[in-house]
Coordinates of all heavy atoms in Angstrom, one line a residue:
M1 N 39.8 16.0 44.8 CA 41.1 15.9 44.1 C 40.8 16.2 42.6 O 39.9 15.7 42.1 CB 41.7 14.5 44.3 CG 43.0 14.4 43.6 SD 43.8 12.8 44.0 CE 43.0 11.8 42.7
L2 N 41.7 17.1 42.1 CA 41.5 17.5 40.7 C 42.7 16.8 39.9 O 43.8 16.6 40.5 CB 41.6 18.9 40.5 CG 40.5 19.8 41.1 CD1 40.8 21.3 40.9 CD2 39.2 19.4 40.4
V3 N 42.4 16.4 38.7 CA 43.4 15.7 37.8 C 43.7 16.6 36.6 O 42.8 17.0 35.9 CB 42.9 14.4 37.3 CG1 43.9 13.7 36.4 CG2 42.6 13.5 38.6
N4 N 45.0 17.0 36.4 CA 45.4 17.7 35.3 C 46.0 16.7 34.3 O 47.0 16.1 34.6 CB 46.3 18.8 35.6 CG 45.6 20.0 36.3 OD1 44.6 20.3 35.9 ND2 46.3 20.5 37.3
I5 N 45.5 16.7 33.1 CA 46.1 15.9 32.0 C 46.1 16.6 30.7 O 45.3 17.4 30.5 CB 45.4 14.5 31.9 CG1 43.9 14.7 31.7 CG2 45.6 13.6 33.0 CD1 43.1 13.5 31.3
E6 N 47.1 16.3 29.9 CA 47.1 16.9 28.6 C 46.2 16.1 27.6 O 46.3 14.8 27.6 CB 48.5 16.9 28.0 CG 49.4 17.9 28.7 CD 50.7 18.1 28.0 OE1 51.0 17.5 27.0 OE2 51.5 18.9 28.5
M7 N 45.4 16.7 26.9 CA 44.5 16.1 25.9 C 44.6 16.8 24.6 O 44.8 18.0 24.6 CB 43.0 16.1 26.4 CG 42.8 15.4 27.7 SD 41.0 15.4 28.1 CE 40.9 17.0 28.9
P8 N 44.4 16.1 23.5 CA 44.2 16.8 22.2 C 43.1 17.7 22.2 O 42.0 17.4 22.7 CB 44.0 15.6 21.2 CG 44.4 14.4 21.9 CD 44.2 14.6 23.3
A9 N 43.3 19.0 21.7 CA 42.2 20.0 21.8 C 41.1 19.7 20.7 O 41.5 19.1 19.6 CB 42.8 21.3 21.5
V10 N 39.9 20.0 21.0 CA 38.9 20.0 20.0 C 38.8 21.4 19.4 O 38.3 22.3 20.0 CB 37.5 19.6 20.6 CG1 36.4 19.6 19.6 CG2 37.6 18.2 21.3
E11 N 39.4 21.5 18.2 CA 39.6 22.8 17.6 C 38.3 23.5 17.2 O 38.2 24.7 17.1 CB 40.6 22.7 16.4 CG 42.0 22.8 16.8 CD 42.9 23.1 15.6 OE1 43.1 22.2 14.8 OE2 43.2 24.3 15.4
G12 N 37.4 22.7 16.8 CA 36.1 23.2 16.3 C 35.1 22.1 16.1 O 35.5 20.9 16.0
C13 N 33.8 22.5 16.2 CA 32.7 21.5 16.0 C 31.5 22.1 15.3 O 31.1 23.2 15.7 CB 32.3 20.9 17.3 SG 30.9 19.7 17.2
E14 N 31.1 21.5 14.3 CA 30.0 22.0 13.5 C 28.6 21.7 14.1 O 27.6 22.3 13.6 CB 30.0 21.4 12.1 CG 31.2 21.7 11.3 CD 31.3 20.8 10.0 OE1 30.4 19.9 9.8 OE2 32.2 21.0 9.2
A15 N 28.5 20.9 15.2 CA 27.2 20.5 15.7 C 26.7 21.6 16.6 O 26.7 21.4 17.9 CB 27.4 19.2 16.4
Q16 N 26.1 22.6 16.1 CA 25.6 23.7 16.9 C 24.3 23.3 17.6 O 23.9 24.0 18.6 CB 25.3 24.9 15.9 CG 26.5 25.5 15.5 CD 26.2 26.8 14.7 OE1 25.8 26.7 13.5 NE2 26.5 28.0 15.2
D17 N 23.7 22.1 17.4 CA 22.6 21.7 18.1 C 23.0 20.9 19.4 O 22.1 20.4 20.1 CB 21.6 20.9 17.2 CG 22.3 19.7 16.5 OD1 23.5 19.8 16.3 OD2 21.6 18.7 16.2
C18 N 24.3 20.7 19.6 CA 24.7 20.0 20.8 C 24.8 21.0 21.9 O 25.2 22.2 21.9 CB 26.1 19.5 20.5 SG 26.9 18.6 22.0
A19 N 24.5 20.5 23.2 CA 24.4 21.3 24.3 C 25.8 21.9 24.7 O 25.9 22.9 25.4 CB 23.9 20.5 25.5
Y20 N 26.9 21.2 24.3 CA 28.2 21.7 24.6 C 28.8 22.6 23.6 O 29.9 23.2 23.8 CB 29.2 20.5 24.7 CG 28.9 19.6 25.9 CD1 28.3 18.4 25.7 CD2 29.2 20.0 27.2 CE1 27.9 17.5 26.8 CE2 28.9 19.2 28.3 CZ 28.3 18.0 28.1 OH 28.0 17.1 29.1
N21 N 28.0 22.9 22.6 CA 28.5 23.8 21.5 C 28.1 25.2 21.7 O 26.9 25.6 21.9 CB 28.0 23.2 20.1 CG 28.8 23.8 19.0 OD1 28.8 25.0 18.7 ND2 29.4 22.9 18.2
H22 N 29.0 26.1 21.5 CA 28.7 27.6 21.4 C 29.7 28.1 20.4 O 31.0 28.0 20.5 CB 29.0 28.2 22.8 CG 28.6 29.6 22.9 ND1 27.3 30.1 22.9 CD2 29.4 30.8 22.8 CE1 27.3 31.4 22.9 NE2 28.6 31.9 22.9
D23 N 29.2 28.9 19.4 CA 30.0 29.5 18.4 C 30.9 28.5 17.7 O 32.1 28.8 17.5 CB 30.9 30.7 19.0 CG 30.0 31.9 19.2 OD1 28.9 32.0 18.7 OD2 30.4 32.8 19.9
L24 N 30.4 27.4 17.4 CA 31.1 26.3 16.6 C 32.3 25.8 17.4 O 33.3 25.3 16.8 CB 31.5 26.9 15.3 CG 30.4 27.2 14.3 CD1 30.9 27.9 13.1 CD2 29.6 25.9 13.9
S25 N 32.3 25.9 18.7 CA 33.4 25.4 19.6 C 32.8 24.5 20.6 O 31.6 24.7 21.0 CB 34.2 26.4 20.3 OG 35.0 27.2 19.4
C26 N 33.5 23.4 21.0 CA 33.0 22.5 22.1 C 33.6 23.0 23.4 O 34.8 23.2 23.5 CB 33.5 21.1 21.7 SG 33.0 19.9 23.0
H27 N 32.7 23.0 24.4 CA 33.1 23.5 25.7 C 32.9 22.5 26.8 O 32.8 22.8 28.0 CB 32.3 24.8 26.0 CG 32.6 25.9 25.0 ND1 33.8 26.6 24.9 CD2 31.8 26.4 23.9 CE1 33.7 27.4 23.9 NE2 32.6 27.3 23.3
A28 N 32.7 21.2 26.4 CA 32.8 20.2 27.5 C 34.2 20.1 28.0 O 35.2 20.6 27.4 CB 32.4 18.8 26.8
R29 N 34.4 19.5 29.2 CA 35.8 19.3 29.7 C 36.5 18.4 28.8 O 37.6 18.6 28.3 CB 35.8 18.8 31.1 CG 35.5 19.9 32.1 CD 35.7 19.4 33.5 NE 35.3 20.4 34.4 CZ 35.3 20.2 35.7 NH1 35.4 19.0 36.3 NH2 35.0 21.2 36.5
G30 N 35.9 17.2 28.5 CA 36.4 16.2 27.7 C 35.4 15.4 27.0 O 34.3 15.3 27.5
I31 N 35.7 15.0 25.8 CA 34.7 14.2 25.0 C 35.3 12.9 24.8 O 36.5 12.6 24.8 CB 34.4 14.9 23.7 CG1 35.6 14.9 22.8 CG2 33.8 16.3 23.9 CD1 35.3 15.4 21.3
T32 N 34.3 12.0 24.4 CA 34.7 10.6 24.1 C 34.3 10.4 22.6 O 33.2 10.7 22.2 CB 34.0 9.6 25.0 OG1 34.4 9.9 26.3 CG2 34.4 8.1 24.6
I33 N 35.2 9.8 21.9 CA 35.0 9.6 20.5 C 34.9 8.1 20.2 O 35.7 7.3 20.7 CB 36.1 10.1 19.6 CG1 36.2 11.7 19.7 CG2 35.9 9.7 18.1 CD1 35.0 12.4 19.0
G34 N 33.8 7.7 19.5 CA 33.8 6.4 18.8 C 33.5 5.2 19.5 O 33.4 5.1 20.7
D35 N 33.3 4.2 18.5 CA 33.3 2.8 19.0 C 34.6 2.2 18.3 O 35.5 3.0 17.9 CB 32.0 2.0 18.5 CG 31.7 2.2 17.0 OD1 32.7 2.4 16.3 OD2 30.6 2.0 16.6
L36 N 34.6 0.9 18.2 CA 35.9 0.4 17.7 C 36.1 0.6 16.2 O 37.3 0.5 15.7 CB 36.0 -1.1 18.0 CG 36.0 -1.5 19.4 CD1 36.0 -3.0 19.6 CD2 37.3 -0.9 20.1
K37 N 35.1 1.1 15.5 CA 35.2 1.3 14.0 C 34.8 2.7 13.6 O 35.4 3.2 12.7 CB 34.3 0.3 13.3 CG 34.8 -1.1 13.3 CD 33.9 -2.0 12.4 CE 34.3 -3.4 12.5 NZ 33.3 -4.3 12.0
H38 N 33.8 3.3 14.2 CA 33.2 4.5 13.7 C 33.6 5.7 14.6 O 33.4 5.6 15.9 CB 31.7 4.4 13.5 CG 31.3 3.3 12.7 ND1 30.8 2.1 13.3 CD2 31.4 3.1 11.4 CE1 30.5 1.2 12.3 NE2 30.9 1.8 11.1
P39 N 34.0 6.8 14.1 CA 34.5 8.0 14.9 C 33.4 9.0 15.3 O 33.6 10.2 15.2 CB 35.6 8.6 14.0 CG 35.1 8.4 12.6 CD 34.3 7.1 12.6
G40 N 32.3 8.5 15.7 CA 31.2 9.3 16.1 C 31.6 10.0 17.5 O 32.3 9.5 18.3
C41 N 31.0 11.2 17.7 CA 31.2 11.9 19.0 C 30.2 11.3 20.0 O 28.9 11.6 19.9 CB 31.0 13.4 18.9 SG 31.2 14.2 20.5
D42 N 30.6 10.5 21.0 CA 29.8 9.9 22.0 C 29.2 10.9 22.9 O 28.2 10.7 23.6 CB 30.6 8.9 22.8 CG 30.5 7.5 22.3 OD1 29.9 7.3 21.2 OD2 31.0 6.6 22.9
T43 N 29.8 12.1 23.0 CA 29.4 13.1 24.0 C 28.3 14.0 23.4 O 27.7 14.8 24.1 CB 30.6 13.9 24.5 OG1 31.6 13.0 24.8 CG2 30.3 14.7 25.7
F44 N 28.0 13.9 22.1 CA 27.0 14.7 21.4 C 25.7 14.6 22.2 O 25.2 13.5 22.5 CB 26.8 14.2 20.0 CG 25.7 14.9 19.3 CD1 25.6 16.2 19.1 CD2 24.6 14.1 18.8 CE1 24.5 16.8 18.4 CE2 23.5 14.7 18.1 CZ 23.5 16.0 17.9
T45 N 25.2 15.8 22.6 CA 24.0 15.9 23.4 C 23.0 16.9 22.8 O 23.2 18.1 23.0 CB 24.3 16.3 24.9 OG1 25.3 15.5 25.4 CG2 23.0 16.3 25.7
P46 N 22.1 16.4 21.9 CA 21.2 17.4 21.2 C 20.3 18.0 22.3 O 19.6 17.2 23.0 CB 20.4 16.5 20.2 CG 20.6 15.1 20.7 CD 21.9 15.0 21.5
A47 N 20.2 19.3 22.4 CA 19.5 19.9 23.4 C 19.3 21.4 23.1 O 20.2 22.0 22.5 CB 20.0 19.8 24.8
G48 N 18.2 22.0 23.4 CA 18.0 23.4 23.1 C 18.8 24.3 24.1 O 19.2 25.4 23.8
Q49 N 19.0 23.8 25.3 CA 19.8 24.5 26.3 C 21.3 24.3 26.1 O 21.7 23.1 26.0 CB 19.4 24.1 27.7 CG 19.9 25.0 28.8 CD 19.4 24.6 30.2 OE1 18.5 23.7 30.3 NE2 19.9 25.3 31.2
H50 N 22.0 25.4 26.1 CA 23.4 25.2 25.8 C 24.3 25.6 27.1 O 23.8 26.3 27.9 CB 23.8 26.2 24.6 CG 23.5 25.6 23.3 ND1 24.3 25.7 22.2 CD2 22.4 24.9 22.9 CE1 23.7 25.1 21.2 NE2 22.5 24.6 21.6
T51 N 25.5 25.1 27.1 CA 26.4 25.3 28.2 C 26.6 26.8 28.4 O 26.7 27.6 27.5 CB 27.7 24.6 27.9 OG1 28.6 24.8 29.0 CG2 28.4 25.0 26.6
H52 N 26.8 27.2 29.7 CA 27.1 28.5 30.0 C 28.7 28.8 29.9 O 29.1 29.9 29.9 CB 26.6 28.9 31.4 CG 25.1 28.8 31.5 ND1 24.3 29.5 30.7 CD2 24.4 28.0 32.3 CE1 23.0 29.2 31.0 NE2 23.0 28.3 31.9
E53 N 29.4 27.7 30.0 CA 30.9 27.7 30.0 C 31.3 27.9 28.5 O 31.1 27.1 27.7 CB 31.5 26.4 30.5 CG 33.0 26.3 30.3 CD 33.7 27.4 30.9 OE1 33.8 27.6 32.1 OE2 34.3 28.2 30.1
T54 N 31.8 29.1 28.2 CA 32.2 29.4 26.8 C 33.6 29.7 26.6 O 34.1 30.0 25.5 CB 31.3 30.6 26.2 OG1 31.5 31.7 27.1 CG2 29.8 30.2 26.2
K55 N 34.4 29.7 27.7 CA 35.9 30.0 27.6 C 36.6 28.7 27.4 O 37.7 28.6 26.7 CB 36.3 30.7 28.8 CG 35.8 32.1 28.9 CD 36.6 33.0 29.9 CE 36.1 34.4 29.9 NZ 34.9 34.6 30.7
R56 N 36.2 27.6 28.1 CA 37.0 26.4 28.1 C 37.0 25.7 26.7 O 35.9 25.7 26.1 CB 36.3 25.5 29.1 CG 37.0 24.1 29.1 CD 36.4 23.2 30.3 NE 35.0 23.1 30.2 CZ 34.2 23.1 31.3 NH1 34.6 23.2 32.5 NH2 32.8 23.0 31.1
I57 N 38.1 25.2 26.3 CA 38.1 24.4 25.0 C 38.2 23.0 25.4 O 39.0 22.6 26.3 CB 39.4 24.8 24.2 CG1 39.3 26.3 23.9 CG2 39.5 23.9 23.0 CD1 38.1 26.7 23.0
A58 N 37.3 22.1 24.8 CA 37.3 20.7 25.1 C 38.6 20.0 24.7 O 39.2 20.4 23.8 CB 36.1 20.1 24.5
G59 N 38.8 18.9 25.4 CA 39.9 18.0 25.0 C 39.2 16.6 24.7 O 38.1 16.3 25.0
V60 N 40.0 15.8 24.0 CA 39.6 14.4 23.7 C 40.0 13.6 24.9 O 41.2 13.3 25.1 CB 40.2 13.9 22.4 CG1 39.7 12.5 22.2 CG2 39.9 14.8 21.2
G61 N 39.1 13.2 25.7 CA 39.4 12.4 26.9 C 39.7 11.0 26.6 O 40.6 10.3 27.2
A62 N 39.0 10.4 25.6 CA 39.2 9.0 25.2 C 38.7 8.8 23.8 O 37.7 9.5 23.4 CB 38.5 8.0 26.2
C63 N 39.3 7.9 23.1 CA 38.9 7.6 21.8 C 39.0 6.0 21.6 O 40.1 5.5 21.8 CB 39.6 8.3 20.7 SG 39.1 7.7 19.0
K64 N 37.9 5.4 21.2 CA 37.9 4.0 21.0 C 38.1 3.5 19.6 O 37.9 2.3 19.3 CB 36.5 3.5 21.5 CG 36.4 3.7 23.0 CD 34.9 3.5 23.5 CE 34.2 4.8 23.3 NZ 32.7 4.6 23.7
V65 N 38.5 4.4 18.7 CA 38.5 4.0 17.3 C 40.0 3.5 16.9 O 40.8 4.2 16.4 CB 38.2 5.3 16.3 CG1 38.1 4.8 14.9 CG2 36.9 5.9 16.8
V66 N 40.2 2.3 17.2 CA 41.5 1.7 17.0 C 41.8 1.7 15.5 O 43.0 1.5 15.1 CB 41.6 0.2 17.6 CG1 41.6 0.3 19.1 CG2 40.5 -0.7 17.0
A67 N 40.8 1.9 14.6 CA 41.0 1.8 13.2 C 41.7 3.1 12.7 O 42.1 3.2 11.5 CB 39.7 1.6 12.4
C68 N 41.8 4.1 13.6 CA 42.4 5.4 13.2 C 43.9 5.4 13.4 O 44.4 4.9 14.5 CB 41.8 6.5 14.0 SG 42.5 8.1 13.6
R69 N 44.7 6.0 12.5 CA 46.1 5.9 12.7 C 46.6 6.8 13.8 O 47.7 6.7 14.3 CB 46.8 6.3 11.4 CG 46.8 7.8 11.0 CD 47.5 8.0 9.7 NE 47.5 9.4 9.3 CZ 48.5 10.3 9.6 NH1 49.5 9.9 10.3 NH2 48.4 11.5 9.2
Y70 N 45.8 7.7 14.3 CA 46.2 8.5 15.5 C 45.9 7.9 16.8 O 46.2 8.4 17.8 CB 45.4 9.9 15.4 CG 45.8 10.8 14.3 CD1 45.0 11.1 13.2 CD2 47.1 11.4 14.3 CE1 45.3 11.9 12.2 CE2 47.5 12.2 13.2 CZ 46.6 12.4 12.2 OH 47.0 13.2 11.1
N71 N 45.3 6.7 16.7 CA 44.9 6.0 18.0 C 46.0 5.1 18.5 O 46.5 4.3 17.7 CB 43.6 5.2 17.8 CG 43.0 4.8 19.1 OD1 43.5 4.0 19.8 ND2 41.9 5.5 19.4
D72 N 46.3 5.2 19.7 CA 47.3 4.4 20.3 C 46.8 3.9 21.7 O 46.5 4.8 22.6 CB 48.7 5.1 20.5 CG 49.7 4.3 21.1 OD1 49.6 3.0 20.9 OD2 50.7 4.8 21.7
D73 N 46.6 2.7 21.8 CA 46.1 2.1 23.1 C 44.8 2.8 23.6 O 44.7 3.1 24.7 CB 47.3 2.3 24.2 CG 47.1 1.4 25.4 OD1 46.4 0.4 25.2 OD2 47.6 1.8 26.4
L74 N 43.9 3.0 22.6 CA 42.6 3.5 22.9 C 42.6 5.0 23.4 O 41.7 5.4 24.1 CB 41.8 2.7 23.9 CG 41.5 1.2 23.4 CD1 41.0 0.3 24.6 CD2 40.4 1.3 22.3
E75 N 43.6 5.7 22.9 CA 43.8 7.1 23.2 C 44.1 7.8 21.9 O 44.8 7.2 21.1 CB 44.8 7.4 24.3 CG 44.7 6.7 25.6 CD 43.5 7.2 26.4 OE1 42.9 8.3 26.1 OE2 43.2 6.6 27.5
C76 N 43.7 9.1 21.8 CA 44.0 9.9 20.7 C 45.4 10.6 20.8 O 45.6 11.2 21.8 CB 43.0 11.0 20.4 SG 43.3 12.0 19.0
E77 N 46.2 10.4 19.9 CA 47.6 11.0 19.9 C 47.7 12.2 18.9 O 48.8 12.6 18.7 CB 48.6 9.9 19.7 CG 48.7 8.8 20.7 CD 49.0 9.2 22.1 OE1 49.6 10.3 22.2 OE2 48.7 8.5 23.0
A78 N 46.6 12.6 18.3 CA 46.7 13.8 17.4 C 47.0 15.0 18.3 O 46.6 15.0 19.5 CB 45.4 13.9 16.6
D79 N 47.5 16.1 17.7 CA 47.7 17.3 18.4 C 46.3 18.0 18.7 O 46.1 18.6 19.8 CB 48.5 18.3 17.6 CG 49.9 17.9 17.5 OD1 50.4 17.2 18.4 OD2 50.6 18.4 16.6
S80 N 45.4 17.9 17.8 CA 44.1 18.4 17.9 C 43.2 17.7 16.9 O 43.6 17.0 16.0 CB 44.0 19.9 17.6 OG 44.5 20.2 16.3
I81 N 41.8 17.9 17.1 CA 40.9 17.3 16.2 C 39.8 18.3 15.8 O 39.7 19.3 16.5 CB 40.2 16.0 16.8 CG1 39.2 16.4 17.9 CG2 41.2 15.0 17.3 CD1 38.2 15.2 18.1
R82 N 39.1 18.0 14.8 CA 37.9 18.8 14.4 C 36.7 17.8 14.4 O 36.9 16.7 13.9 CB 38.1 19.5 13.1 CG 39.2 20.5 13.1 CD 39.2 21.4 11.9 NE 38.2 22.4 11.9 CZ 38.3 23.5 12.6 NH1 39.4 23.8 13.2 NH2 37.4 24.4 12.6
V83 N 35.5 18.3 14.7 CA 34.4 17.5 14.7 C 33.4 18.1 13.8 O 33.2 19.3 13.7 CB 33.8 17.3 16.2 CG1 32.5 16.5 16.2 CG2 34.8 16.6 17.1
G84 N 32.7 17.3 13.0 CA 31.7 17.8 12.1 C 30.6 16.8 11.7 O 30.6 15.7 12.3
R85 N 29.9 17.1 10.7 CA 28.8 16.3 10.3 C 29.2 15.4 9.1 O 29.9 15.8 8.2 CB 27.6 17.2 9.8 CG 27.0 17.9 11.0 CD 25.7 18.6 10.6 NE 25.2 19.3 11.8 CZ 24.5 18.8 12.8 NH1 24.2 17.5 12.7 NH2 24.1 19.5 13.8
S86 N 28.6 14.2 9.1 CA 28.8 13.3 8.0 C 27.4 12.6 7.8 O 27.1 11.7 8.6 CB 29.9 12.3 8.2 OG 29.9 11.4 7.1
G87 N 26.6 13.2 6.9 CA 25.2 12.8 6.9 C 24.5 13.1 8.2 O 24.6 14.3 8.6
N88 N 23.9 12.2 8.8 CA 23.2 12.4 10.1 C 24.1 12.2 11.3 O 23.7 12.5 12.4 CB 22.0 11.5 10.2 CG 20.9 11.8 9.3 OD1 20.7 13.0 8.9 ND2 20.1 10.8 8.9
A89 N 25.4 11.8 11.1 CA 26.3 11.5 12.1 C 27.1 12.7 12.5 O 27.4 13.5 11.6 CB 27.1 10.3 11.8
I90 N 27.6 12.8 13.7 CA 28.6 13.8 14.2 C 29.9 13.0 14.4 O 29.9 12.2 15.3 CB 28.1 14.5 15.5 CG1 26.6 15.0 15.4 CG2 29.1 15.6 15.8 CD1 26.4 16.0 14.4
I91 N 30.9 13.3 13.7 CA 32.1 12.5 13.7 C 33.4 13.3 13.8 O 33.4 14.5 13.6 CB 32.2 11.6 12.4 CG1 32.4 12.6 11.2 CG2 31.0 10.8 12.2 CD1 33.0 11.9 10.0
C92 N 34.4 12.6 14.2 CA 35.7 13.3 14.3 C 36.2 13.3 12.8 O 36.4 12.3 12.2 CB 36.7 12.4 15.1 SG 38.4 13.0 15.0
K93 N 36.4 14.5 12.3 CA 36.8 14.8 11.0 C 38.3 14.5 10.8 O 38.8 14.4 9.7 CB 36.5 16.1 10.5 CG 35.0 16.4 10.4 CD 34.5 16.0 9.1 CE 33.1 16.5 8.8 NZ 32.6 16.3 7.5
T94 N 39.0 14.4 11.9 CA 40.5 14.1 11.8 C 40.8 12.6 11.6 O 41.9 12.3 11.4 CB 41.2 14.7 13.1 OG1 40.7 16.1 13.2 CG2 42.7 14.7 12.9
F95 N 39.7 11.8 11.8 CA 39.9 10.4 11.6 C 40.6 10.1 10.3 O 40.3 10.6 9.3 CB 38.5 9.7 11.6 CG 38.5 8.3 11.2 CD1 39.0 7.3 12.0 CD2 38.0 7.9 9.9 CE1 38.9 5.9 11.6 CE2 38.0 6.6 9.5 CZ 38.5 5.6 10.4
D96 N 41.6 9.2 10.4 CA 42.4 8.8 9.2 C 42.6 7.3 9.3 O 43.3 6.8 10.2 CB 43.7 9.6 9.2 CG 44.4 9.4 7.9 OD1 43.9 8.7 7.0 OD2 45.5 9.9 7.7
K97 N 41.9 6.6 8.5 CA 41.9 5.1 8.5 C 43.4 4.6 8.4 O 44.1 5.1 7.5 CB 41.0 4.5 7.4 CG 40.7 3.1 7.6 CD 39.6 2.7 6.6 CE 39.1 1.3 6.7 NZ 40.0 0.3 7.1
R98 N 43.8 3.6 9.2 CA 45.1 3.1 9.1 C 45.3 2.4 7.7 O 44.4 1.7 7.3 CB 45.3 1.9 10.2 CG 45.4 2.4 11.6 CD 45.6 1.3 12.5 NE 45.4 1.7 13.9 CZ 46.4 2.3 14.6 NH1 47.6 2.5 14.1 NH2 46.2 2.7 15.9
Ligands
SF4_101 S1 32.5 17.8 19.9 FE1 30.9 16.5 20.5 S2 30.2 17.1 22.6 FE2 31.5 18.7 21.7 S3 30.1 20.2 20.8 FE3 30.7 18.8 19.2 S4 29.1 17.2 19.2 FE4 29.0 18.3 21.2
SF4_102 S1 41.9 11.6 15.3 FE1 41.5 9.4 15.4 S2 42.2 8.8 17.4 FE2 41.9 11.0 17.4 S3 39.8 11.3 18.2 FE3 39.7 11.3 15.9 S4 39.3 9.1 15.4 FE4 40.0 9.1 17.5

């Protein structure tokens, strides 16, 4: 059985060392963001081998950052997000503290 759901799109990601990244885009089916406070990309997978799927655009499957104003009931309600670097961390750059 397949499930079709609408998810906020991951418009771009700076983490080119992630296995799901190709040409600054994320090609996972869905990603998970954060813990209850920090908006890190939980799906970040540092690896030399990269995904062969380069057409699919990832969605935000779940986000645990209740401190973000876009978060409702542990889900992201933004239209889209961008992911990038903050020091050594890979984070959701669309995060906006309540
Ligand atoms: S959004 Fe996360 S999983 Fe996707 S390419 Fe960037 S770091 Fe990797
Ligand atoms: S915008 Fe906010 S709610 Fe959406 S993924 Fe980023 S941190 Fe989570």
